[in-house]
Amino acid sequence: MDHTQILTKDIHQITVPTPFNVGPVNMYVIEGDALTLIDAGVKTDEAWQVFLQEIESLGYRLKDFDQVILTHHHVDHVGLLDYIRNESDIRVVGHFRNQPWISRDPDFLERHDRFFNLLYRRNGVPEPFIDDVQKMRRRLFNFSCHTSLDKVIAEGDEVDGLSGWKVIETSGHAQSHISLFREKDGLLIGGDHIIAHISSNALIEPPAVETEDRPRTLIQYRDSLKRCQSMGISRVLSGHGADVTDVHPLIENRLKKNEERANLIHQWILAEPMTVFDICRRLFARVYEQQLALTMSETLGHLDLLESWEKARIKHKNGIDYYIGL
């Protein structure tokens, strides 16, 4: 299998395997004033060997790279940082919200677990499922890294060593998510924000400050998509799968699908009050047991959307939230 593609004269795509249902993940090499890697795969020996072979095929060694820019903190995009930093002085660059995840900050992780335990119980998830979700999250850390950012970038920043590229904050799929935009040719390096063959899940995360409300991630994600519609994007280099050239029709389709699913849920909660877990089981009858974190995020996101449209409200009963259609 050819794991490397030349996308433009200065950008190469490297695809490495993952053990996850999403399949292989794309990393990018940009030959700017600073030799730059975008994202860092997943921490497996197989991904590491493929990565080393592919940079060698491009004529590079690990020590040639100046920096790695993270599109977001998910394990399939950061895991190889440990391997890379063991063998080079590469600079790690990303949004500040990556830091507690990639450094495995113990206070953050304790708060993370408290948040999800409370969230799931309040939304009707049975106790055995909550235990399974926590075990799954701990297993995921086997594929992540344990390191720190060297430089923080944010909305509107130009990236050192990458002339013409600007940072666009594209939160929704992750609170740490950024994309890189090159206005002269409309090229977007989009991480998991826009993917051709699947709709990115707007994953629920704890709030940045424990006393604040959780982020409404699907609403964020839709806002980020709508912003991309106005940016003159000609092509998206994605974190998974093929690049996207039909950007506007794809975004329109994703927004429409969100609305269709929200309206379906609305019909259900007009008929009877339901918990998030009740709705999740009905929406994802075949997969919710194996992918509860993903499917609960998807379900809760659409209920957030209905609340923002004033088509749903929450009724609290015996410590459980029930959604009622309006």
Side-chain angles (χ1 to χ4, degrees), residues 218 222 255-269 283 298-299 301-307 309 311-312:
L218 182 61
R222 286 169 56 84
L255 294 171
K256 180 182 176 184
K257 293 293 186 185
N258 291 160
E259 291 155 13
E260 288 174 351
R261 176 160 284 173
N263 285 324
L264 173 64
I265 294 170
H266 184 236
Q267 294 304 309
W268 294 347
I269 62 175
L283 279 175
E298 183 85 5
T299 305
H302 285 83
L303 288 162
D304 289 342
L305 197 56
L306 287 173
E307 280 195 280
W309 294 343
K311 288 187 171 185

Side-chain angles (χ1 to χ4, degrees), residues 108-123:
F108 169 76
L109 295 178
E110 183 179 331
R111 182 162 62 80
H112 170 281
D113 288 351
R114 281 200 307 271
F115 168 80
F116 278 103
N117 282 329
L118 177 61
L119 182 77
Y120 286 154
R121 287 187 174 93
R122 197 175 68 229
N123 285 289

Side-chain angles (χ1 to χ4, degrees), residues 4-13 28-36 58 60 162-163 165 182 184-185 187 235 237 243:
T4 306
Q5 296 182 52
I6 300 173
L7 301 173
T8 71
K9 66 180 181 179
D10 60 341
I11 303 176
H12 307 269
Q13 181 191 84
Y28 295 93
V29 175
I30 306 180
E31 297 166 330
D33 292 335
L35 187 62
T36 300
L58 293 173
Y60 296 118
L162 292 184
S163 177
W165 291 93
R182 188 164 67 182
K184 71 176 184 180
D185 57 3
L187 193 62
R235 182 182 177 193
L237 308 184
D243 15 324

Side-chain angles (χ1 to χ4, degrees), residues 30-37 64-67 91 160-162:
I30 306 180
E31 297 166 330
D33 292 335
L35 187 62
T36 300
L37 183 66
D64 296 326
F65 285 85
D66 298 296
Q67 61 186 351
R91 182 169 69 248
D160 293 343
L162 292 184

Side-chain angles (χ1 to χ4, degrees), residues 71-104:
T71 62
H72 61 298
H73 67 266
H74 291 166
V75 298
D76 52 335
H77 294 261
V78 303
L80 288 179
L81 284 176
D82 283 352
Y83 287 44
I84 292 169
R85 298 199 95 169
N86 280 341
E87 299 192 18
S88 75
D89 295 324
I90 198 166
R91 182 169 69 248
V92 178
V93 181
H95 192 275
F96 77 94
R97 294 199 189 280
N98 286 286
Q99 181 62 21
W101 297 92
I102 67 172
S103 68
R104 305 194 193 189

